[in-house]
Amino acid sequence: MRVRKREVKIGGMAIGGSNPIAVQTMLNVPIDDIPGNVAQARRCAAAGCQILRVTCPTPADARCIEAVKKAVDIPIVADIHFDYRAALACAAVGVDKIRINPGNIGSDDRVKEVVTACRAGHIPIRIGVNGGSLEKHILAKYGAPVPEAMVESALYHVRLLEKFDFEDIVISIKSSNVPRMMEAYRQLSAVTDYPLHVGVTEAGTYQMGLLKSGMGIGGLLLEGIGDTIRVSLAADPEKEVEAGFNILRAVGYAVAGPEVITCPTCGRTQYPCIEIANEVERRLQGYKKPIKVAVMGCVVNGPGEAREADIGIAGGKNEAVLFVHGQPVRKLTGDNILDQFMEEIYKL
Ligand code: SF4
């Protein structure tokens, strides 16, 4: 059961409330390469990314934010660390959301200026707490970036915004330590109704990052916690988008597009099941219909084990049985079984 948070609008979309969980990523092209950022943003949008974050270290870099915003029609988030003038510059070019920790930008006057600009532009602010960079006074109090310390940090930044009656807020509270990050989100979710952006930070290389994100993000989603997710991987951001949707699928959320299921294969397998499954998945990239496609290793158990699939094949020797909802339909033979199968999928 989803933990219901208040709704926050980000450009033309909304998160929280009963809105679907949005998948986001962040560009990783150097910020001074505007064409490179624009091209990568287009690739992310084509991969289905729903919210796109771009760093903005200086006010001049708002030019890149502006260019990316013009190039794609998904909400753009500016990532600001210390320079409040960069936040103002992004608000001026119509960014859809700003990630900034108000405690990092100095005086109340600066916070007030950012809040005023965001309020005028209907721009929400995400507070992004990271276990690795907690405020010194909070770290001194707890001695380590424990969940309680991360929650206290998040609420400290929240109060700095609420002081100016600003409540258009999203919060993240990330750590690279999965149990710690999960507990921090649980504690935070219990004391706030602001929507939560969930992620494991510095999750590691591709494989480890996938695992940690699957456990941390997926685990929290299963507990109903999370309104938007970002999988952090040392990889292209399109891969993060793909992983985000796969996590949503894995925990049972309806996601547009096909899902390919396959068995691990075993000694009964007599055809290139794994290669075919990968190729089917590759060819179905960008296909919009929400269908389940199975590629199973053998006829004996395959159709039954993949009963929940809309369509599938189970391979034998130089042939495959085509099945629909677990029932065999006919045999595919010859050396183009894969092409025949794809034709059947597109007919559905
Ligand atoms: S479906 Fe057949 S090939 Fe695949 S794991 Fe099960 S028994 Fe083995």
Side-chain angles (χ1 to χ4, degrees):
M1 181 81 166
R2 180 112 172 255
V3 179
R4 183 68 78 98
K5 301 296 183 191
R6 68 171 76 180
E7 186 176 275
V8 167
K9 290 207 165 60
I10 305 167
M13 72 178 302
I15 61 165
S18 57
N19 295 291
I21 292 157
V23 172
Q24 52 179 294
T25 187
M26 183 168 181
L27 300 184
N28 62 3
V29 172
I31 190 65
D32 49 8
D33 175 6
I34 294 180
N37 274 278
V38 165
Q40 194 177 51
R42 289 201 171 110
R43 290 197 297 276
C44 290
C49 175
Q50 294 165 310
I51 300 173
L52 187 59
R53 184 155 49 115
V54 189
T55 192
C56 187
T58 71
D61 294 318
R63 277 177 308 155
C64 186
I65 303 277
E66 189 175 22
V68 167
K69 199 169 153 43
K70 277 188 188 142
V72 295
D73 60 3
I74 52 176
I76 303 300
V77 184
D79 197 75
I80 314 285
H81 281 264
F82 300 104
D83 191 341
Y84 81 108
R85 294 166 310 150
L88 297 176
C90 289
V93 299
V95 77
D96 300 296
K97 180 175 158 197
I98 288 176
R99 183 256 166 145
I100 193 167
N101 290 350
N104 292 351
I105 61 175
S107 66
D108 266 10
D109 285 350
R110 292 178 178 184
V111 176
K112 191 175 177 187
E113 241 188 286
V114 171
V115 161
T116 303
C118 286
R119 185 179 286 122
H122 304 287
I123 301 166
I125 293 178
R126 170 161 69 91
I127 288 163
V129 167
N130 187 327
S133 53
L134 290 181
E135 291 68 34
K136 283 201 182 88
H137 69 278
I138 292 177
L139 204 51
K141 177 174 166 188
Y142 290 93
V146 293
E148 291 76 9
M150 291 164 64
V151 172
E152 185 166 325
S153 172
L155 297 179
Y156 155 71
H157 291 292
V158 165
R159 268 182 234 110
L160 290 175
L161 296 179
E162 288 178 340
K163 195 164 144 185
F164 298 104
D165 296 324
F166 190 87
E167 297 189 340
D168 209 5
I169 298 172
V170 179
I171 311 174
S172 66
I173 189 163
K174 299 183 187 180
S175 165
S176 58
N177 176 311
V178 173
R180 188 172 274 177
M181 157 270 182
M182 290 182 74
E183 183 54 25
Y185 273 103
R186 284 187 198 111
Q187 291 184 14
L188 181 65
S189 181
V191 296
T192 185
D193 76 337
Y194 291 121
L196 301 181
H197 161 128
V198 172
V200 179
T201 194
E202 293 112 29
T205 54
Y206 187 65
Q207 277 295 336
M208 198 59 192
L210 275 181
L211 264 176
K212 287 173 93 171
S213 298
M215 293 171 75
I217 298 173
L220 285 167
L221 291 175
L222 286 170
E223 294 177 27
I225 296 172
D227 300 285
T228 177
I229 62 171
R230 190 244 171 141
V231 178
S232 298
L233 297 173
D236 285 338
E238 299 102 292
K239 289 277 173 203
E240 296 188 350
V241 175
E242 184 185 1
F245 284 113
N246 283 339
I247 290 173
L248 289 178
R249 272 194 192 99
V251 297
Y253 280 100
V255 173
E259 176 179 356
V260 176
I261 54 179
T262 185
C263 73
T265 72
C266 70
R268 289 178 186 270
T269 312
Q270 292 183 298
Y271 82 135
C273 177
I274 295 172
E275 289 84 346
I276 289 180
N278 283 320
E279 182 59 17
V280 168
E281 189 167 76
R282 194 189 68 76
R283 292 194 191 185
L284 286 175
Q285 269 169 15
Y287 192 65
K288 298 283 183 243
K289 274 193 187 166
I291 48 169
K292 270 194 183 168
V293 178
V295 180
M296 303 299 284
C298 77
V299 180
V300 182
N301 294 326
E305 287 180 15
R307 202 170 288 118
E308 59 179 300
D310 297 295
I311 189 168
I313 49 170
K317 201 166 187 161
N318 303 322
E319 64 178 28
V321 171
L322 175 74
F323 59 90
V324 174
H325 300 298
Q327 298 301 318
V329 176
R330 66 182 176 90
K331 278 187 179 167
L332 308 180
T333 53
D335 53 11
N336 64 346
I337 286 174
L338 174 63
D339 294 334
Q340 293 176 52
F341 183 41
M342 293 307 298
E343 269 180 40
E344 296 292 337
I345 293 171
Y346 293 132
K347 275 189 213 159
L348 274 186

